[in-house]
């Protein structure tokens, strides 16, 4: 029997200890959080050239512009039109365009149908590719409403469209809508474009494809319309032509429905609600390796992701190289920085944007490129992007052009940005120099902005030493202009923290268990730790990175043991976030993920379930935990609480044997509980336990719901006002237990 006594408070817990890290990996954005189910919705698809994966040097990462990819045209002639297109190295290549696009950055499809022919346009949605490349991926539920929208333009003749969602057997999953492509079809836009929007009703559950029948309109006296002139009568043409762009289809019950700020990108409600259940204190975005990209020009530029959806300049997703076909992964930026800030606001989470620092991805086999720190491009583009983002997030729309963009998108109020990440997994002397240059510029603009410095991708002391030595020097005031100015009244921004260091770790479960005491001896000098990416997936231990070895209960137990150390040291560990957050079940680029999903269902992993017990149950103060008796291997404990009587005790048993525990419950200012009321009021006890086979994992297929492998038990009781003195607990083998006293 082990006795655990929770003693006096030791320090304040960071109010940003648990957050989430959202990167567009595993189709986490397009095909996931993005509510629009249409793949390559704007005919702007930009992809990684699959052939370039076999090459080296400058030809290693090349761009493939394929504007019509994922669209199927039958009995129709379709061509891509626009004013420019991406070249092999991502450069802008001007192209002839027969009529103006909706925006200079947007291409469109010009479609022609012959008389007496019924053509068809199909889009399967996001199926993840590989063996599912021909599978329908648009989830429809009976009784749900679905919003269809598009921009169309009549060009020649009269065209009629019929829109419906069909299953694999071409049977309808929704009702249909029919309309003629003319200037009366919807809201007129400039240059002859017309915005159309219709509601479809779900008839039955299933996966389908967006299907559009195209034929000549059955009406006499066809008219000719162009973008520049009023329609004029012409003879019946031998064929009819129209333009189409910005096609969307989504469940009408998306996140933020009826909130006017959500006027551009829309989010899938069930995924947002699953993230919200973690109660994240912050959200990091956009990455991850996407921040740096893999070659100059592939880095994430936040300015490409704001404004009207059709104005956003798409980019191939570097994680395409890990997809089944090695290329079919574009970033549409329907979820951009504006949507990110809005999501943070809705989750009551602080934003932690992380931007390009002038060095492309330094992971092995990536051939990193370094921008000249003394060059104009570094000063005028790299550094300026940070300063302009601060304006976009916090600036006054009356004096800042970028703040005016935010206002015009639907959010005149500032977003309250107070921290920013400088680079991702960057390291080395050149990175330190770039960090200082960027941080100085940031602090000249906003002295109180908290800057996050990368420690690289290896979680070991030696490769992190340069970063940590520099961070300590910054905190000590030895690097002028780089440290955040401390405002004694700013209690919300990690008080006394002058700089944060971002550590990452992808290692084995045994490694994470051994690291439960990692932060015990970290220096408390104004530096703080952000453990920004972690999972016990065995990557650095050369363990198999496949489905059968990913997201097991063994890995979740190890992560939970590690988190007890983070809570115990939450005076130095200011923030933590698991990675990756989201994954389409058939679009894995990274096998171990916190939340998986298919087109219709969400499947939290066992790692999510363990994380939720920690992140959703944490107090403002950390408490001393004393273990008396012979401590069995694999037992880990931490405790937090509030000024009142609420307390959270977390116990992790990574061993294979049951452990008996006596948890001392005493009253008084230094005890686990406090008396309330003159006669004393009873306290409630809630014991929640997760346990399972170490090798088991939650399973979610392409269809169907989650198969949960854990045993989840909850025991609730009322403690007498005078207290029982102690609580007897039995910790099952391989378990995580939350004791909540209120």
């Amino acid at each position: 029997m082990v006795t655990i006594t929770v003693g006096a408070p030791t320090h304040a817990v960071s109010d940003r200890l648990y957050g989430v890290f959202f990167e567009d990996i595993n189709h986490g954005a397009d095909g996931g959080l993005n509510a629009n189910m249409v793949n390559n919705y704007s005919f702007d698809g930009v992809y990684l050239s699959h052939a370039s994966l076999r090459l080296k040097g400058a030809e290693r990462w090349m761009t493939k512009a394929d504007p019509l990819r994922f669209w199927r045209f039958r009995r129709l002639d379709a061509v891509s039109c626009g004013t420019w297109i991406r070249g092999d190295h991502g450069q802008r290549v001007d192209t002839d365009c027969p009529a103006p696009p909706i925006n200079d950055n947007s291409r469109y499809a010009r479609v022609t149908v012959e008389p007496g022919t019924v053509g068809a346009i199909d889009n399967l949605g996001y199926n993840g590719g590989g063996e599912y490349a021909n599978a329908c991926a648009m989830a429809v539920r009976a009784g749900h409403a679905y919003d269809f929208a598009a921009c169309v333009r009549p060009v020649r003749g009269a065209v009629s469209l019929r829109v419906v969602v069909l299953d694999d057997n071409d049977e309808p999953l929704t009702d249909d809508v029919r309309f003629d492509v003319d200037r009366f079809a919807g809201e007129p836009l400039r240059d002859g474009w017309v915005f159309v929007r219709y509601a479809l009703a779900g008839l039955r559950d299933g996966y389908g494809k967006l299907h559009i029948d195209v034929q000549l309109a059955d009406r006499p006296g066809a008219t000719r319309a162009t973008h520049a002139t009023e329609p004029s009568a012409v003879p019946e043409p031998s064929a009819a032509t129209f333009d189409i762009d910005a096609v969307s289809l989504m469940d009408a019950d998306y996140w933020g429905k009826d909130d006017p700020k959500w006027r551009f990108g829309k989010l899938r409600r069930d995924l947002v609600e699953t993230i919200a259940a973690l109660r994240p204190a912050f959200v990091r975005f956009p990455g991850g390796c996407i921040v740096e990209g893999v070659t100059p020009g592939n880095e994430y530029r936040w300015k490409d992701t704001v404004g009207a959806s059709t104005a956003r300049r798409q980019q191939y997703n570097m994680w395409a190289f890990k997809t089944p076909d090695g290329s079919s992964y574009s970033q549409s930026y329907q979820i951009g920085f504006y949507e990110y800030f809005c999501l943070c606001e809705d989750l009551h989470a602080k934003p932690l944007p992380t931007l390009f620092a002038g060095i492309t991805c330094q992971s092995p086999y990536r051939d990193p490129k370094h921008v000249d720190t003394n060059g104009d491009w570094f000063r005028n583009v790299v550094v300026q992007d940070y300063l302009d983002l601060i304006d976009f997030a916090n600036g006054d729309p009356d004096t800042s052009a970028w703040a005016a963009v935010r206002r015009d998108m639907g959010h005149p109020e500032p977003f309250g940005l107070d921290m920013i990440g400088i680079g991702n997994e960057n390291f080395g002397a050149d990175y330190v120099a770039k960090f200082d240059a960027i941080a100085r510029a940031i602090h000249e603009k906003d002295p109180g902005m908290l800057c996050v410095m990368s420690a690289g991708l290896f979680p070991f002391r030696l490769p992190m030493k340069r970063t940590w030595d520099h961070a300590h020097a910054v905190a000590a005031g030895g690097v002028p202009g780089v440290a955040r100015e401390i405002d004694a009244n700013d209690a919300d921004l990690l008080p006394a923290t002058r700089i944060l260091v971002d550590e990452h770790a992808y290692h084995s479960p045994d490694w994470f268990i051994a690291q439960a005491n990692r932060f015990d001896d970290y220096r408390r000098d104004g530096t703080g730790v952000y453990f920004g990416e972690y999972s016990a997936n065995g990557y650095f231990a050369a363990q198999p990175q496949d489905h059968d070895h990913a997201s097991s209960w063994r890995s979740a137990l190890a992560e939970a043991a590690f988190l007890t150390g983070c809570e115990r040291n939450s005076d130095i560990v200011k923030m933590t976030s698991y990675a990756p957050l989201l994954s389409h079940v058939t679009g894995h680029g990274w096998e171990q993920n916190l939340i998986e999903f298919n087109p219709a269902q969400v499947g939290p992993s066992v790692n999510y379930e363990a994380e939720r017990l920690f992140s959703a149950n944490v107090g403002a103060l950390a408490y001393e935990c004393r273990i008396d008796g012979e401590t069995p291997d694999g037992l880990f404990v931490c405790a937090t609480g509030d000024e009142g009587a609420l307390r959270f005790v977390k116990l992790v048993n990574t061993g294979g044997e049951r452990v008996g525990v006596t948890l001392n419950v005493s009253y008084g200012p230094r005890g686990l509980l406090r008396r309330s009321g003159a006669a004393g009021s009873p306290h409630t006890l809630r014991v929640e336990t997760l346990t399972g086979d170490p090798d088991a994992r939650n399973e979610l297929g392409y269809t169907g719901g989650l198969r949960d492998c854990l045993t989840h038990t909850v025991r609730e009781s009322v403690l007498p006002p005078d207290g029982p003195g102690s609580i007897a607990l039995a910790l099952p083998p391989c378990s995580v237990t939350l004791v909540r006293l209120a």
Side-chain angles (χ1 to χ4, degrees):
M1 180 69 70
V2 176
T3 299
I4 298 175
T5 302
V6 179
T10 57
H11 60 265
V13 175
S14 166
D15 62 359
R16 304 185 188 190
L17 184 57
Y18 295 109
V20 295
F21 164 42
F22 172 45
E23 180 176 15
D24 188 4
I25 185 174
N26 310 315
H27 285 289
D30 290 334
L33 198 58
N34 178 10
N36 186 4
M37 296 184 286
V38 178
N39 198 344
N40 189 15
Y41 85 110
S42 61
F43 304 96
D44 293 328
V46 181
Y47 304 94
L48 173 65
S49 172
H50 187 240
S52 73
L53 295 177
R54 298 186 291 272
L55 304 175
K56 295 182 179 180
E59 307 302 308
R60 178 70 174 89
W61 305 94
M62 295 180 64
T63 302
K64 174 66 175 178
D66 191 357
L68 302 184
R69 189 177 294 192
F70 298 116
W71 290 93
R72 298 179 178 182
F73 300 91
R74 290 179 291 161
R75 300 178 298 279
L76 297 169
D77 178 63
V79 295
S80 172
C81 301
T83 58
W84 66 279
I85 199 167
R86 296 267 188 181
D88 288 345
H89 295 283
Q91 77 276 22
R92 175 179 174 134
V93 177
D94 292 338
T95 58
D96 292 333
C97 188
I102 297 172
N103 182 280
D104 182 54
N105 292 324
S106 181
R107 298 186 68 83
Y108 59 90
R110 172 155 289 191
V111 181
T112 299
V113 60
E114 297 292 336
T117 300
V118 178
I121 304 173
D122 289 336
N123 189 290
L124 299 178
Y126 294 93
N127 51 36
E131 63 181 293
Y132 292 91
N134 294 312
C136 292
M138 296 184 177
V140 172
R141 294 179 181 174
H144 278 227
Y146 294 86
D147 285 341
F148 167 80
C151 293
V152 296
R153 176 169 59 192
V155 176
R156 183 184 64 189
V159 178
S160 178
L161 304 182
R162 168 182 173 262
V163 180
V164 66
V165 179
L166 303 178
D167 66 12
D168 277 326
N169 298 315
D170 289 335
E171 295 296 327
L173 291 173
T174 67
D175 61 2
D176 61 18
V177 61
R178 302 166 191 260
F179 62 93
D180 291 343
V181 177
D182 56 30
R183 59 181 178 146
F184 307 107
E187 176 188 353
L189 306 174
R190 69 179 188 180
D191 298 320
W193 287 99
V194 178
F195 176 72
V196 298
R197 181 177 180 180
Y198 295 96
L200 300 175
L203 302 177
R204 55 191 178 90
D205 295 354
Y207 287 0
K209 60 190 174 187
L210 176 64
H211 177 84
I212 304 174
D213 283 328
V214 182
Q215 60 185 333
L216 268 64
D218 184 17
R219 67 186 191 209
T223 60
R224 178 182 180 86
T226 71
H227 66 278
T229 62
E230 288 296 315
S232 57
V234 297
E236 182 72 27
S238 59
T241 300
F242 73 103
D243 297 332
I244 185 168
D245 197 2
V247 184
S248 66
L249 178 71
M250 65 184 70
D251 192 314
D253 187 26
Y254 54 82
W255 178 264
K257 180 178 174 61
D258 299 326
D259 186 337
K261 75 182 181 186
W262 289 103
R263 63 184 63 177
F264 295 106
K266 310 296 194 302
L267 307 186
R268 182 172 152 176
R269 176 177 291 278
D270 57 354
L271 281 174
V272 176
E273 290 174 345
T274 304
I275 295 169
L278 293 170
R279 299 183 189 174
F282 68 90
V283 180
R284 175 181 169 187
F285 179 83
C289 293
I290 280 179
V291 168
E292 317 106 278
V294 287
T295 190
N298 185 236
E299 68 275 5
Y300 195 102
R301 297 291 308 282
W302 72 266
K303 292 174 180 176
D304 288 346
T305 77
V306 297
S309 298
T310 51
R312 304 179 188 186
R313 288 176 288 195
Q314 297 194 19
Q315 176 65 270
Y316 73 75
N317 191 308
M318 59 152 290
W319 290 113
F321 82 97
K322 291 179 72 72
T323 60
D325 69 356
S327 63
S328 294
Y329 201 168
S330 180
Q331 296 176 90
S332 75
Y333 295 142
Q334 291 172 81
I335 300 177
F337 258 75
Y338 174 78
E339 288 77 18
Y340 159 59
F341 282 126
C342 288
L343 175 61
C344 290
E345 185 174 79
D346 286 0
L347 295 176
H348 306 290
K350 285 293 186 179
L352 175 57
T354 302
L355 303 188
F356 179 57
I359 307 173
T360 59
C361 188
Q362 291 177 274
S363 294
Y365 315 114
R366 301 282 169 83
D367 191 23
K369 301 293 190 298
H370 295 243
V371 174
D372 180 6
T373 310
N374 297 315
D376 290 342
W377 201 85
F378 182 81
R379 287 189 296 269
N380 298 334
V381 178
V382 175
V383 176
Q384 194 62 42
D385 277 356
Y386 287 83
L387 307 183
D388 290 342
L389 179 64
I390 295 172
D391 276 342
F392 178 76
N394 296 343
D396 181 350
D398 293 333
T399 58
S400 165
W402 282 109
V405 172
R406 181 194 74 232
R407 176 199 60 202
D408 294 345
M409 293 185 73
H411 202 286
E413 304 82 8
F415 283 115
L417 175 67
D418 60 14
M419 56 183 175
I420 197 163
I422 300 178
N424 168 74
E425 289 187 349
N426 294 137
F427 57 89
D430 184 52
Y431 169 68
V432 171
K434 286 177 165 57
F435 174 86
D436 286 353
I438 295 169
R440 284 193 180 98
I442 289 172
H443 290 142
E444 184 176 351
K445 183 178 185 67
D446 185 343
M449 187 69 65
L450 181 60
C451 292
V452 181
M453 185 179 189
S454 168
L457 69 159
F458 299 105
F460 312 116
R461 297 270 175 122
L462 184 59
M464 293 192 302
K465 186 177 186 304
R466 185 192 299 272
T467 294
W468 272 109
D469 286 349
H470 192 73
H472 291 311
V474 169
V479 189
V482 176
R484 176 177 79 94
E485 287 188 8
I486 302 295
D487 183 346
N489 297 318
D490 188 6
D492 293 333
L493 182 54
L494 309 181
T497 304
R498 297 176 67 82
I499 183 173
L500 274 183
V501 175
D502 180 15
E503 295 187 1
H504 293 181
Y506 296 103
H507 217 301
S508 68
D510 288 343
W511 184 90
F512 272 91
I513 291 170
Q515 295 294 307
N517 298 318
R518 177 184 182 90
F519 305 109
D520 291 359
D521 61 353
Y522 271 45
R523 194 188 308 176
R524 272 72 172 169
D525 64 350
T527 57
V529 176
Y530 168 38
F531 214 72
E533 294 186 33
Y534 73 88
S535 75
N537 63 6
Y539 182 79
F540 280 126
Q543 293 178 355
Q545 298 297 295
D546 56 31
H547 176 82
D548 292 339
H549 293 85
S551 301
S552 69
W553 183 234
R554 186 189 314 278
S555 69
L557 287 169
E559 292 155 6
F562 177 76
L563 290 178
T564 64
C566 294
E567 286 200 9
R568 285 189 300 99
N569 290 283
S570 50
D571 57 332
I572 181 72
V573 181
K574 303 296 185 179
M575 300 163 62
T576 64
S577 52
Y578 186 101
L581 176 66
L582 298 174
S583 179
H584 192 299
V585 292
T586 60
H588 287 160
W590 200 259
E591 287 292 343
Q592 177 137 331
N593 307 285
L594 203 61
I595 302 167
E596 297 199 340
F597 57 88
N598 61 29
Q601 302 284 340
V602 177
S605 67
V606 294
N607 309 79
Y608 171 96
E609 298 298 347
E611 170 106 355
R612 181 188 55 79
L613 285 188
F614 278 77
S615 63
N617 300 280
V618 60
L621 298 170
Y623 283 76
E624 176 189 7
C625 292
R626 188 179 74 247
I627 301 178
D628 298 317
E630 185 176 347
T631 306
D633 291 339
L635 177 63
F636 302 87
V637 61
C638 63
T640 63
D642 297 324
E643 289 289 349
L646 184 61
R647 299 289 185 269
F648 305 99
V649 184
K650 290 143 185 173
L651 305 107
V652 180
N653 179 14
T654 65
E657 301 294 332
R658 174 182 174 275
V659 175
V661 169
T662 298
L663 182 62
N664 278 341
V665 178
S666 58
Y667 288 98
R670 295 178 60 85
L672 189 60
L673 298 175
R674 291 188 178 184
R675 297 187 187 279
S676 58
S681 300
H683 291 269
T684 60
L685 170 70
R686 188 177 193 273
V687 180
E688 185 174 358
T689 300
L690 299 174
T691 187
D693 185 290
D695 296 320
R697 52 166 289 143
N698 288 349
E699 294 286 353
L700 181 70
Y702 185 65
T703 59
L706 180 70
R707 295 182 292 278
D708 189 350
C709 73
L710 296 180
T711 299
H712 185 189
T713 60
V714 176
R715 177 167 60 92
E716 295 182 328
S717 58
V718 177
L719 301 178
D722 294 334
S726 63
I727 300 171
L729 300 171
L731 306 182
C734 304
S735 65
V736 179
T737 298
L738 168 69
V739 178
R740 186 181 187 275
L741 293 144

